[in-house]
Amino acid sequence: MKLSLLASYADDPAALVRGLPSLEAAGLDMVWLSEAYSFDAVSVAGAVVQATSRLEVGTGILNVYSRTPALLAMTAATLDHLSGGRFTLGLGASGPQVIEGFHGVEYLHPAERVIDTIRICRTVWAREPLEYQGKAVTVPLPPDRGTGQGKALKLVNHPLRERIPIVWASMRPRAVRATAELADGWMPIFYLPERAAEVYGPALAEGSARRPADLGPLDVIAGGAVAVDDPAAIAGAVAGARAQLALYVGGMGSRTTNFYNDLVRRYGFEAEAERIQELYLAGRKREAAEAVPEELVQATNLIGSSGDVRGRIEAYRAAGVTTFCASGVSGDPVGTLATLRKLFDA
């Protein structure tokens, strides 16, 4: 199992870049760079690939609305070239609050737009003239749209790799099915290993049955906050995990459209999800965090003694996770990741 780190979009990117060589030396295999309505992940990725020599770099994630599919393909080809083949393009649909509220773009056909983007990226990287008509994206524009002068073009440069890995951060069954069919990797959030087969299994199986053999096995990238043995770090990780779950389950979306709230309900925490959202949207954020079930915190993170963490690692591995993604490291990041690396390799 590979060990990766998801950098928060609220982190100081300069501090992150300075610290990554030490984390690389401690055994970190990969870093994921996120963006929501923050500093952009692409600029940070450019700095990271120059500051590291072995570390793989991925976007976790870029939404498929604020950049055209062709631009996403161009960006990935550039970062893959600059990094010597260490880049992974992480994609997702985000949600209507961000897409419509921050970017001013209509949030239409999210799964179809990701599917179209994946197919367009691979066409661009193969240096084929870009002619594509999908359910959400058509390029070039047809004659009755725009000036009518659109022309099918191919990428000028020769990409280092024709098949740059694409990871889809999907959650809903329809999107998970398409992920298993089309993507190189899958990045689910708040992954609960013991409930994964029940919640995601049918969709993954259906998509995998249509998966081309040349894609190889699906890389499953999942994880959570990490704190091992240190009581203060453990307390901080628990508090941070509660706050993050409250933010996403309670406030990352509207009362009618919150994908994270829906997920926690599917895990069996219907009443708790409703209560968290009620408190968060009422401005009672501390109470919302306190309402997050202890069981959910412990099951979706690696927090506790070395023995506890080793047990959770095995649960993730048994559930099919191939790349663990630490979404927060409390205490000493270098020491904690070095300890985690030893537990992974034991």
Side-chain angles (χ1 to χ4, degrees):
M1 190 186 300
K2 290 201 300 188
L3 177 57
S4 66
L5 173 69
L6 176 63
S8 170
Y9 48 74
D11 286 345
D12 175 356
L16 171 70
V17 172
R18 287 195 300 271
L20 281 175
S22 295
L23 297 179
E24 183 178 34
L28 186 68
D29 297 309
M30 186 168 193
V31 62
W32 299 95
L33 304 169
S34 57
E35 64 173 37
Y37 39 99
S38 63
F39 288 156
D40 80 278
V42 172
S43 300
V44 182
V48 169
V49 300
Q50 295 301 308
T52 58
S53 58
R54 177 188 59 82
L55 203 66
E56 295 179 47
V57 182
T59 51
I61 50 102
L62 300 181
N63 78 73
V64 292
Y65 288 94
S66 59
R67 300 172 177 91
T68 67
L71 178 57
L72 287 166
M74 293 163 61
T75 299
T78 303
L79 288 168
D80 198 54
H81 179 84
L82 291 173
S83 66
R86 291 184 283 139
F87 182 72
T88 293
L89 178 61
L91 299 173
S94 188
Q97 278 199 328
V98 173
I99 302 306
E100 296 183 353
F102 192 69
H103 294 292
V105 177
E106 291 180 303
Y107 190 78
L108 300 174
H109 314 298
E112 290 80 3
R113 190 169 180 92
V114 179
I115 290 168
D116 290 350
T117 298
I118 290 172
R119 289 174 170 155
I120 288 171
C121 281
R122 288 174 176 158
T123 299
V124 170
W125 298 333
R127 298 192 71 247
E128 298 172 3
L130 183 53
E131 294 183 274
Y132 183 85
Q133 186 168 351
K135 293 184 178 179
V137 180
T138 297
V139 61
L141 286 178
D144 61 342
R145 293 178 58 191
T147 66
Q149 299 177 65
K151 179 182 178 181
L153 301 171
K154 67 179 182 180
L155 189 68
V156 172
N157 310 86
H158 289 260
L160 183 66
R161 291 186 292 174
E162 185 177 311
R163 291 298 292 267
I164 299 167
I166 298 176
V167 166
W168 186 348
S170 57
M171 297 175 62
R172 298 171 124 183
R174 183 181 180 193
V176 172
R177 282 195 298 271
T179 302
E181 178 184 358
L182 299 171
D184 298 279
W186 175 46
M187 182 183 278
I189 192 171
F190 303 132
Y191 190 81
L192 202 165
E194 288 81 359
R195 301 298 300 276
E198 177 184 344
V199 172
Y200 296 117
L204 288 171
E206 186 177 341
S208 296
R210 299 194 295 265
R211 184 177 181 83
D214 65 345
L215 277 181
L218 183 70
D219 185 16
V220 180
I221 304 124
V226 178
V228 188
D229 291 331
D230 180 350
I234 290 171
V238 169
R242 285 186 178 280
Q244 185 188 41
L245 279 160
L247 167 63
Y248 279 76
V249 176
M252 195 64 79
S254 67
R255 192 177 297 277
T256 57
T257 307
N258 184 319
F259 306 137
Y260 312 99
N261 191 285
D262 293 343
L263 174 63
V264 170
R265 289 172 184 268
R266 290 166 65 197
Y267 282 154
F269 298 97
E270 292 93 347
E272 294 88 343
E274 183 175 352
R275 179 62 175 160
I276 293 166
Q277 187 177 63
E278 176 186 326
L279 290 168
Y280 200 95
L281 294 181
R284 297 157 66 183
K285 297 180 182 180
R286 181 181 58 80
E287 293 175 70
E290 292 172 352
V292 174
E294 179 70 18
E295 178 186 354
L296 184 61
V297 172
Q298 293 299 325
T300 56
N301 297 285
L302 297 188
I303 301 173
S305 67
S306 294
D308 293 334
V309 170
R310 187 180 293 111
R312 296 312 300 156
I313 290 171
E314 292 311 311
Y316 277 93
R317 187 174 278 128
V321 174
T322 50
T323 297
F324 182 82
C325 183
S327 59
V329 182
S330 295
D332 168 24
V334 174
T336 300
L337 285 175
T339 298
L340 193 59
R341 178 81 269 170
K342 292 177 183 177
L343 292 173
F344 270 62
D345 295 342

